[in-house]
């Protein structure tokens, strides 16, 4: 992700304990970035999913839980329902 040309993320974003803080930081980064190739919501969700998948089975359950809740919070911040409909 250091060399990714998708978003400019704040250092340590995925290590925060609060799902809301993770989601808000991702939203802020996605909306401010000029390097993203798709809509802010898609870019933010993509980076979050990438982080979850990259860690794989080595991610502690507590960390995964925070990041999965951050997905729901990100959807809420963008006014999307859980099913992905607009």
């Amino acid at each position: 992700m250091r060399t990714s040309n998708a978003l400019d993320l704040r250092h340590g974003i995925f290590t925060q304990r609060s799902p809301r803080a993770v989601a808000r930081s991702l939203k802020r980064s996605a909306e401010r970035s000029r390097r993203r190739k798709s809509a802010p919501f898609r870019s933010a969700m993509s980076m979050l999913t990438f982080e979850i998948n990259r860690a794989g089975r080595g991610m502690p359950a507590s960390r995964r839980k925070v990041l999965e809740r951050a997905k729901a919070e990100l959807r809420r911040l963008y006014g999307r329902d859980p099913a992905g409909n607009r």
Side-chain angles (χ1 to χ4, degrees):
M1 282 200 302
R2 276 185 209 137
T3 60
S4 171
N5 199 23
L7 289 179
D8 295 315
L9 298 176
R10 196 181 81 207
H11 181 72
I13 184 175
F14 297 113
T15 59
Q16 296 179 4
R17 293 182 179 187
S18 166
R20 184 176 191 130
V22 172
R24 290 180 69 178
S25 185
L26 277 170
K27 181 178 186 205
R28 185 175 30 258
S29 295
E31 290 176 348
R32 290 181 180 173
S33 178
R34 297 289 174 239
R35 299 181 339 163
R36 64 179 160 75
K37 295 180 181 176
S38 63
F41 173 74
R42 283 184 62 185
S43 293
M45 189 61 77
S46 177
M47 290 304 280
L48 184 52
T49 301
F50 177 78
E51 176 66 19
I52 292 169
N53 291 342
R54 185 178 69 110
R57 294 181 185 195
M59 180 184 286
S62 59
R63 184 88 235 125
R64 178 176 292 277
K65 194 175 198 178
V66 168
L67 295 180
E68 288 294 340
R69 286 182 179 172
K71 279 184 175 182
E73 183 64 24
L74 193 59
R75 287 184 188 103
R76 190 190 68 73
L77 288 172
Y78 276 101
R80 308 284 178 113
D81 69 14
N85 299 326
R86 294 180 188 182

